Amino acid sequence: MMDDLQELYQEVILDHNKSPRNYEVLANHNHFAEGDNPLCGDHIDVYLKVEGNTIKDIAFQGKGCAISKASASLMTSELKGRSLTETKELFEKFHKMVTSEIDETPDMDGLGKLAVLSGVKVFPLRIKCASLAWHTMNAALENNKELISTED
Amino acid sequence: MDYSGSILQTDVMTSLDVEKIRADFPILSQKVHGKDLAFLDNAASSQKPQQVLDATNNYYKTQHANIHRGVYHLSQVATFAYENSRKKIQKFINAASEKEIIFVRGTTEGINLVASSYGKDNVKAGDEIIITHMEHHSNIVPWQMLCKEKDAKLQVVPINDDGEMIFEELEKLISEKTKLIALAHISNSLGTINPVKDVIELAHQHNIPVLLDGAQAVPHEKVDVQELDCDFYTFSSHKVYGPTGIGVLYGKEELLEKMGPYQGGGDMIKSVTFEKTTYNDLPHKFEAGTPDIAGVVGLAVAIDYVESIGYDNIFQHEQELLKCGTEALSQIDGLKIIGTAKNKASVISFDMDGIHPHDIGQFLDNDGIAVRTGHHCTQPVMDRFNVPATTRASFSFYNTKEEIDRLVAGLIKVKEVFS
């Protein structure tokens, strides 16, 4: 069990929680969405600057647990400079990784640092913490003006 | 941090034989993640003694049939078990009559029943309902729904930085428009024991009825509804060591008599034709459908159990745990207790700076310690103290000083990981 907990709270996650990357309000953003996890009281704002088919810049702000904050931080680090097609693929892959069955080994090729979040699938209640930033980012790209909730 | 020589080393001096009590609760002896379970989430729901488990099991094994219906032996046995439990609960809270004891699914349904049935006939456009800032969502939302339906207004008594209601503000809010005051006897997220007798006295000077949400009070202290002179009182079985899914609404007979039914169905009627239905007498008027008979039987046994330990002993032990816990947790750097009322039940909510309660809860769980993390269904309280969530430890008579030591050790470990 301690191994599962250590797997969940790896150094990389603790580091991104303590010093989140791209933690700011992005000036000149052209996409924005807010996400809520009412069960935890987590809230996140995601800002994107998209030019053509490319995410030129991405940032976030919010409050939440270590998992949600680290996931948002890692996401912004991974997505900066990516094409929208790659972003969509990564989102799907990430989603599969955190929601796969415990005994299943998901395809983590190309996920890079995001793979450190694979530990959440052992803790069903924390999957939403890891996914919140991604769903909010997706809503921002779709220009969804409504507040995104993990409970909808 | 070294705790040797701290207050935790001194024994809790109470007359309770906690080890003997713990032996009555089979669930407490289990291991969680290889560690002894330390169950510190009693404000959410408490565990059940063997006596309650046996009573519900025995009911299904030897007594079950539908009540108030059959002429046959078993139906009469079940009816007797059910109605006898009602009498026991009447005595337990010292209601004047068993007609005043209505079985509901829990505190939430008790409040909804009053909001719906009492509210329907007594609240009109422009009227006001008063609650406090520390209410559980279940004592906010039903009144909001009623106010929306009736175009009435919900007034909220503010709380101070210690988490106590500001009594003078209540005095200011009361007017001829006030139709009901609803408040928690004890707050679930702050532990505050409200001055309910004073509230009721003040309200009655203005002929305003008062509903008390007793979910957090009945597990900790003796409730006497006649002494309080409250108009409605409601509590849940599962927080007072009884089964889930059952609770009690007490209402003064004269008020309940005037109220229309809550739900329609079997057992709440005297006669039905397609043209007209005559409703049953109290308390059956409010108990449509087959109730949770086994739950009621279990609740009565849970009450026997609590009374066999004695509220004086319970209060003394829990207050000692509260004192130990408060002192020990206060020594942790950066830990801030939310809810520091002078009169408190054994509930400690806290914020440990920079560390989200869900991360704290996850680490404590790994040590076998169960605490509640989140907003505790009191989001306005979280907003008032400017925190998204808190970690809450709530103690029962079966908790020990050693479990508080483990909580403190666990929290210190969490701090190290996140520092």
Side-chain angles (χ1 to χ4, degrees):
Chain A
M1 179 62 199
M2 195 57 205
D3 289 346
D4 284 344
L5 194 68
Q6 274 167 353
E7 177 78 21
L8 179 64
Y9 289 96
Q10 293 182 38
E11 278 305 322
V12 181
I13 288 175
L14 293 174
D15 172 52
H16 275 261
N17 171 52
K18 208 173 160 189
S19 328
R21 323 294 197 265
N22 308 305
Y23 192 80
E24 59 184 325
V25 176
L26 195 65
N28 305 324
H29 65 268
N30 51 11
H31 290 267
F32 167 76
E34 284 179 86
D36 249 347
N37 182 347
L39 292 180
C40 306
D42 291 353
H43 182 91
I44 185 172
D45 292 337
V46 173
Y47 305 87
L48 293 120
K49 191 177 177 214
V50 179
E51 281 178 19
N53 192 37
T54 309
I55 295 177
K56 281 283 175 198
D57 210 351
I58 175 168
F60 82 103
Q61 274 201 330
K63 51 188 180 182
C65 66
I67 306 301
S68 75
K69 215 179 204 177
S71 179
S73 173
L74 285 158
M75 177 187 82
T76 56
S77 308
E78 278 301 316
L79 292 186
K80 209 179 271 191
R82 296 259 189 185
S83 75
L84 296 182
T85 323
E86 286 173 319
T87 299
K88 197 165 175 277
E89 281 167 14
L90 267 182
F91 179 30
E92 277 167 18
K93 232 172 194 178
F94 179 83
H95 194 255
K96 268 191 190 145
M97 174 182 78
V98 295
T99 56
S100 61
E101 296 295 326
I102 287 171
D103 51 5
E104 203 182 319
T105 314
D107 168 22
M108 299 206 281
D109 269 4
L111 277 173
K113 266 193 180 171
L114 298 173
V116 297
L117 281 156
S118 63
V120 299
K121 69 175 186 178
V122 191
F123 300 91
L125 288 170
R126 307 308 294 276
I127 293 168
K128 285 173 184 171
C129 309
S131 316
L132 179 63
W134 287 86
H135 286 291
T136 311
M137 177 278 298
N138 199 42
L141 285 180
E142 288 171 1
N143 275 332
N144 188 344
K145 295 279 186 288
E146 281 184 22
L147 182 72
I148 298 307
S149 172
T150 54
E151 299 313 299
D152 289 343
Chain B
M1 202 176 294
D2 179 15
Y3 277 89
S4 58
S6 79
I7 48 105
L8 293 177
Q9 299 300 315
T10 54
D11 277 328
V12 174
M13 296 297 290
T14 66
S15 43
L16 281 192
D17 185 347
V18 177
E19 279 318 303
K20 187 166 165 279
I21 288 170
R22 288 179 72 87
D24 286 333
F25 291 79
I27 206 169
L28 295 179
S29 61
Q30 72 173 271
K31 303 262 184 202
V32 171
H33 307 312
K35 321 276 172 30
D36 289 337
L37 167 66
F39 190 77
L40 304 180
D41 191 19
N42 296 286
S45 197
S46 58
Q47 301 300 347
K48 320 302 168 201
Q50 188 64 49
Q51 289 84 336
V52 169
L53 306 179
D54 288 346
T56 47
N57 195 26
N58 186 52
Y59 167 76
Y60 281 125
K61 262 168 103 172
T62 65
Q63 302 179 309
H64 176 66
N66 213 334
I67 53 165
H68 304 144
R69 286 159 174 82
V71 293
Y72 54 90
H73 171 74
L74 269 185
S75 176
Q76 288 175 36
V77 169
T79 303
F80 179 79
Y82 184 77
E83 291 302 333
N84 212 34
S85 300
R86 194 193 306 273
K87 284 185 190 138
K88 189 166 276 173
I89 289 153
Q90 176 207 338
K91 288 202 185 79
F92 175 62
I93 59 170
N94 193 31
S97 157
E98 60 191 90
K99 291 181 186 170
E100 299 178 322
I101 303 298
I102 294 155
F103 289 118
V104 288
R105 281 184 299 154
T107 308
T108 299
E109 190 174 51
I111 297 168
N112 275 280
L113 190 158
V114 177
S116 168
S117 293
Y118 184 83
K120 193 179 282 176
D121 295 332
N122 295 284
V123 178
K124 54 183 194 310
D127 284 346
E128 295 179 354
I129 308 276
I130 298 178
I131 60 171
T132 81
H133 200 117
M134 72 179 86
E135 300 310 315
H136 188 281
H137 293 165
S138 62
N139 203 24
I140 302 173
V141 184
W143 306 116
Q144 257 173 353
M145 289 160 65
L146 173 66
C147 287
K148 197 174 170 209
E149 188 191 319
K150 298 280 188 174
D151 202 16
K153 195 175 172 196
L154 191 63
Q155 295 281 18
V156 182
V157 183
I159 55 177
N160 64 23
D161 290 343
D162 288 320
E164 297 163 319
M165 66 177 282
I166 304 170
F167 199 84
E168 302 73 52
E169 296 295 326
L170 168 66
E171 288 175 315
K172 282 186 214 159
L173 284 175
I174 288 177
S175 75
E176 70 285 353
K177 292 183 209 158
T178 312
K179 285 296 168 312
L180 188 107
I181 298 172
L183 78 159
H185 190 166
I186 294 180
S187 149
N188 73 310
S189 56
L190 300 166
T192 311
I193 302 175
N194 276 317
V196 289
K197 255 198 112 168
D198 296 341
V199 172
I200 291 161
E201 216 178 283
L202 175 68
H204 286 179
Q205 285 167 14
H206 300 268
N207 293 318
I208 302 163
V210 176
L211 174 141
L212 295 182
D213 164 0
Q216 297 294 332
V218 173
H220 304 296
E221 62 176 76
K222 178 77 192 155
V223 170
D224 182 330
V225 291
Q226 290 192 78
E227 204 221 325
L228 286 169
D229 198 24
C230 56
D231 302 278
F232 298 103
Y233 196 99
T234 179
F235 67 95
S236 301
S237 155
H238 73 98
K239 291 195 205 286
V240 65
Y241 312 98
T244 56
I246 191 77
V248 173
L249 170 70
Y250 158 83
K252 281 183 180 164
E253 191 176 340
E254 50 168 321
L255 290 172
L256 293 175
E257 272 307 348
K258 284 187 212 146
M259 283 159 57
Y262 176 50
Q263 292 179 330
D267 223 24
M268 55 76 74
I269 51 90
K270 267 184 181 159
S271 69
V272 177
T273 65
F274 287 118
E275 289 71 39
K276 187 178 185 299
T277 292
T278 313
Y279 302 129
N280 205 339
D281 297 329
L282 287 176
H284 312 293
K285 180 170 81 176
F286 292 106
E287 293 179 2
T290 299
D292 183 356
I293 310 164
V296 167
V297 168
L299 169 59
V301 172
I303 283 166
D304 279 343
Y305 186 86
V306 167
E307 289 193 315
S308 76
I309 296 174
Y311 272 109
D312 287 347
N313 293 328
I314 291 172
F315 188 77
Q316 195 191 357
H317 181 76
E318 291 179 348
Q319 285 294 312
E320 196 62 39
L321 291 174
L322 174 66
K323 188 167 163 263
C324 279
T326 304
E327 287 176 16
L329 292 177
S330 302
Q331 291 179 43
I332 298 175
D333 277 345
L335 188 145
K336 184 173 173 253
I337 292 174
I338 313 260
T340 45
K342 216 168 121 231
N343 293 316
K344 255 188 89 169
S346 51
V347 170
I348 308 178
S349 251
F350 58 91
D351 176 64
M352 213 157 68
D353 54 14
I355 311 175
H356 194 281
H358 278 95
D359 297 317
I360 296 173
Q362 195 82 64
F363 276 81
L364 293 179
D365 175 61
N366 199 55
D367 289 337
I369 304 166
V371 292
R372 174 78 191 270
T373 56
H375 53 59
H376 318 292
C377 294
T378 56
Q379 283 180 334
V381 172
M382 301 296 114
D383 293 342
R384 168 66 176 76
F385 289 95
N386 200 23
V387 288
T390 71
T391 305
R392 180 187 70 187
S394 50
F395 312 118
S396 153
F397 52 68
Y398 50 56
N399 288 123
T400 66
K401 199 169 56 66
E402 187 255 334
E403 290 175 319
I404 295 177
D405 287 342
R406 286 175 56 198
L407 171 67
V408 170
L411 290 171
I412 289 169
K413 207 158 73 185
V414 172
K415 266 188 80 80
E416 281 164 8
V417 172
F418 286 90
S419 65

